[in-house]
Amino acid sequence: MTDKAIASPAAPAATSHSGLGQWLRAPVPASPFHARMQQLWLQWRRLHANGSALFGLCVIVILLLAALFAPLLATHDIFEQNLAARLLAPSAEHWLGTDELGRDVYSRLLFGARITLYIALLTTVIVAPIGLIVGTTAGYLGGWVDTVLMRIVDVFLAFPNLILALAFVAALGPGIENAIIAISLASWPPIARLARAETLTIRKSDYIAAVRLQGASSLRIIFGHIMPMCIPSVVVRVTLNMAAIILTAAGLGFLGLGAQPPSPEWGTMLSSGREFVMTSWWIAAIPGTAILLTSLAFNLLGDGLRDILDPRHG
Amino acid sequence: MKPSRPLIEAIGLSISFGPQHARNRVVDDVSFRIGKGEAYGLIGESGCGKSTILRALSGLNGEYEGALTLNDRELPKKRDKEFFRRAQMVFQDPFGSLHPRKIVEKVLSEPLKIHGFDRHSERIAETLDAVGLGPSFRYRYPHELSGGQRQRVAIARALIIEPDILLLDEPTSALDVSVQAEILNLLKRLRIERNLTYLMVSHDLAVIAHICERAGMMHRGRIIEELTAGQIRKSEAREDYTREFLQASVEAVARDAEVVA
């Protein structure tokens, strides 16, 4: 059985559905790819059993689809103003009503998802590697490298997130790109802290001592052995952080320092709906609910990922 | 029995920990010699400094006084790659010494990459075979293996770059008794097959008597006397402390002697 599994390449087994299931449950993995896929399968099974995480994932997937297919799903032009049809309540013609300039809220919400996800994903892509590299390097090398890097982190951590982002946007000028840079600058330090804390516990372990005794360089140890151990907690942290990023982006938009008015960013929409909140609740409530739901979804998914990715669960 | 020139020699080795004003001398002026192909043991109760010596020799702890030599040449405090190729270590806890996110194949190919070996795939297969693990273990994660299997992987990882010295830090104390015997027999067989030199640390006399020809009895950071395996089995010791220590575990040694015979 063993020898057969080794001899035959893994791919042909994956043709039919039952074949795929068998392949994923095979007791002896036949290649590194096979072993990796089996691990992913187990993790997926665990995610599947976790209701709230699955809900979070569904919301995020729906959001991604909505953002992707926004031009197909939208019923109206998002920039076209129609003052005759301003402040209309939700109806068959305008599913989520219209705003103070007569623009369709539903269509704007769809395009707003693009901006929100763009900010959240781009910030994460910038923040996670920087935090990871700074944190693991400081934690593994220790000494003055650690002191210098962590004091820099302390300086950033001394300011509240939004205030720091505000200061950077004020310096760089308003706009989505600058908002992303500002939010990134404000949100890498907690990740560096987390990665450093993880590294401090990992560097003392026998498996790191073992690679050191094999003559591995610090660079190889940090990138090849410490980082893979830090990635799960960083992924969890980043997912939980997405909610904060979305809120900060919306906050900047609300204050007029993020996306600029004609663009349908949720924070900006919320801000313009504020004046009409007593008479036309939907203008503020709908982007507000979207922000709430998205943040909640990322939080639930992050919580679930923490249970799934923890290496101690094996 | 004693070869003329030792492969490894410790001369006046002292190791201290703690801040300047409250130095704690853990190893105090220890000297020993290990010939090529010999298996030398360090025995003693916990905290006597035996593992500290091993860590200093392996290069994990560079802060020691005195000298450690290999082939009559003093080892630099910061070991070079060539030393790591010649001397490898097996750790006490097989649950902690394998990277939890790397499959066996990756664990074994890492040292090959570091030291620029060729024929990775064949070497991995050969070494797995040598430690008694079949090809079916090649793509397993450590958490899918038992303690004994993990320790075999750890031994394979140490052996794959063909070192001539193996430093063994209580390699069986974390395993249950039936598996202990298997691992000990494996270590014994590998030493003969590959002409390895062992330095083994243990608090278990039976283990030392099984593997090593000579052993140093450690007490409070010093080697108080050296014994041969035969002397350990017959409980022939000069020092009172050693006699007490031997007496305390005499039944275990006797039992082991039966198993070996």
Side-chain angles (χ1 to χ4, degrees):
Chain A
M1 150 83 217
T2 304
D3 291 331
K4 241 195 291 174
I6 300 291
S8 68
T15 42
S16 70
H17 184 264
S18 66
L20 180 67
Q22 263 175 18
W23 186 69
L24 286 170
R25 278 186 288 272
V28 180
S31 68
F33 174 72
H34 193 178
R36 186 81 209 108
M37 285 302 115
Q38 287 193 334
Q39 286 300 308
L40 278 178
W41 169 246
L42 283 176
Q43 288 175 350
W44 166 246
R45 293 285 300 261
R46 241 180 274 147
L47 181 73
H48 205 80
N50 186 336
S52 55
L54 205 59
F55 169 77
L57 186 67
C58 286
V59 171
I60 292 164
V61 168
I62 290 170
L63 199 73
L64 279 170
L65 291 177
L68 200 62
F69 297 111
L72 299 175
L73 295 169
T75 49
H76 293 76
D77 185 336
I78 56 164
F79 296 121
E80 192 188 72
Q81 301 183 4
N82 180 1
L83 292 180
R86 72 194 286 261
L87 300 177
L88 289 180
S91 64
E93 168 67 15
H94 297 284
W95 294 349
L96 296 175
T98 60
D99 65 6
E100 77 281 7
L101 295 171
R103 297 171 297 194
D104 183 52
V105 173
Y106 165 72
S107 307
R108 287 176 66 76
L109 197 70
L110 287 178
F111 280 93
R114 285 187 162 188
I115 298 172
T116 301
L117 288 176
Y118 175 68
I119 293 175
L121 295 179
L122 205 57
T123 309
T124 303
V125 168
I126 296 170
V127 155
I130 294 178
L132 200 56
I133 290 171
V134 170
T136 49
T137 309
Y140 182 71
L141 295 180
W144 64 268
V145 179
D146 184 30
T147 312
V148 169
L149 289 175
M150 282 305 116
R151 288 305 80 77
I152 295 173
V153 166
D154 283 343
V155 170
F156 280 93
L157 281 176
F159 299 97
N161 231 335
L162 187 61
I163 305 289
L164 197 61
L166 262 179
F168 282 119
V169 173
L172 297 165
I176 295 183
E177 279 75 22
N178 288 344
I180 291 170
I181 294 170
I183 297 169
S184 305
L185 282 170
S187 55
W188 69 269
I191 292 170
R193 257 286 152 83
L194 176 78
R196 175 176 175 269
E198 288 270 313
T199 307
L200 287 182
T201 60
I202 296 165
R203 65 178 291 207
K204 292 247 187 280
S205 65
D206 279 353
Y207 56 86
I208 297 299
V211 274
R212 271 176 65 198
L213 291 186
Q214 282 160 3
S217 60
S218 296
L219 197 71
R220 181 182 276 272
I221 294 173
I222 291 173
F223 280 87
H225 297 264
I226 290 182
M227 272 194 195
M229 290 303 290
C230 293
I231 282 173
S233 52
V234 167
V235 166
V236 170
R237 173 75 210 212
V238 156
T239 318
L240 293 173
N241 233 1
M242 290 247 193
I245 291 170
I246 290 168
L247 287 178
T248 313
L252 287 176
F254 185 84
L255 294 168
L257 292 166
Q260 289 307 297
S263 94
E265 203 269 324
W266 292 347
T268 321
M269 286 167 72
L270 187 65
S271 144
S272 66
R274 190 181 42 144
E275 296 167 42
F276 307 96
V277 79
M278 288 306 179
T279 53
S280 316
W281 55 268
W282 56 90
I283 304 178
I286 281 160
T289 312
I291 294 167
L292 171 79
L293 257 181
T294 314
S295 310
L296 183 69
F298 275 115
N299 265 331
L300 290 176
L301 182 67
D303 253 353
L305 285 180
R306 175 158 48 206
D307 297 341
I308 294 155
L309 293 177
D310 190 339
R312 278 160 289 248
H313 286 187
Chain B
M1 182 121 179
K2 259 187 196 169
S4 52
R5 291 307 310 164
L7 179 67
I8 301 169
E9 189 172 12
I11 307 158
L13 184 69
S14 296
I15 303 164
S16 310
F17 292 116
Q20 282 301 331
H21 56 92
R23 280 310 253 184
N24 186 11
R25 194 163 250 223
V26 181
V27 174
D28 189 11
D29 193 21
V30 163
S31 301
F32 58 84
R33 309 171 135 212
I34 308 172
K36 185 159 173 51
E38 199 184 7
Y40 187 85
L42 287 172
I43 342 165
E45 55 190 24
S46 17
C48 70
K50 53 195 193 312
S51 288
T52 312
I53 293 179
L54 204 65
R55 288 179 79 83
L57 180 59
S58 71
L60 280 176
N61 176 13
E63 288 172 25
Y64 58 83
E65 294 154 50
L68 290 165
T69 70
L70 179 68
N71 275 349
D72 284 331
R73 216 170 299 151
E74 186 173 345
L75 290 164
K77 292 269 159 84
K78 200 169 171 358
R79 304 277 194 269
D80 53 13
K81 222 168 162 182
E82 179 54 26
F83 171 81
F84 291 130
R85 207 200 63 70
R86 293 194 61 187
Q88 279 292 309
M89 182 151 160
V90 176
F91 291 83
Q92 175 176 11
D93 178 14
F95 293 88
S97 70
L98 296 177
H99 197 290
R101 308 214 136 236
K102 292 199 189 291
I103 55 174
V104 172
E105 185 188 51
K106 253 196 150 165
V107 169
L108 297 181
S109 64
E110 187 80 11
L112 293 175
K113 272 186 221 149
I114 293 169
H115 292 279
F117 276 75
D118 57 346
R119 303 193 299 121
H120 287 195
S121 188
E122 289 93 334
R123 280 178 198 274
I124 290 168
E126 283 164 19
T127 314
L128 276 179
D129 211 40
V131 297
L133 293 174
S136 59
F137 288 93
R138 188 162 178 165
Y139 307 111
R140 293 289 180 85
Y141 284 91
H143 63 79
E144 298 173 309
L145 307 177
S146 71
Q149 289 165 344
R150 287 179 193 219
Q151 198 60 306
R152 282 170 196 264
V153 174
I155 293 170
R157 170 178 63 188
L159 288 178
I160 199 160
I161 49 174
E162 296 164 11
D164 33 45
I165 301 159
L166 216 52
L167 307 170
L168 304 160
D169 185 6
E170 309 210 27
T172 57
S173 65
L175 306 171
D176 64 50
V177 181
S178 59
V179 184
Q180 271 188 18
E182 284 174 27
I183 297 290
L184 288 176
N185 287 331
L186 170 70
L187 287 171
K188 207 164 184 176
R189 177 169 63 77
L190 287 171
R191 182 158 82 95
I192 297 164
E193 282 174 8
R194 300 181 174 228
N195 192 25
L196 294 164
T197 305
Y198 282 180
L199 172 57
M200 184 170 195
V201 157
S202 181
H203 61 264
D204 190 340
L205 276 169
V207 168
I208 294 281
H210 188 161
I211 297 282
C212 304
E213 286 114 25
R214 282 192 309 132
M217 180 75 213
M218 284 198 71
H219 183 47
R220 296 196 179 164
R222 291 168 174 275
I223 293 185
I224 53 174
E225 73 177 301
E226 283 193 352
L227 301 152
T228 64
Q231 284 172 324
I232 294 175
R233 288 213 184 86
K234 290 185 214 124
S235 292
E236 291 172 4
R238 280 179 288 112
E239 301 284 329
D240 288 341
Y241 176 80
T242 317
R243 219 170 290 136
E244 225 172 88
F245 195 95
L246 290 175
Q247 200 55 47
S249 41
V250 71
E251 296 89 17
V253 178
R255 222 185 307 123
D256 184 70
E258 280 164 29
V259 173
V260 177

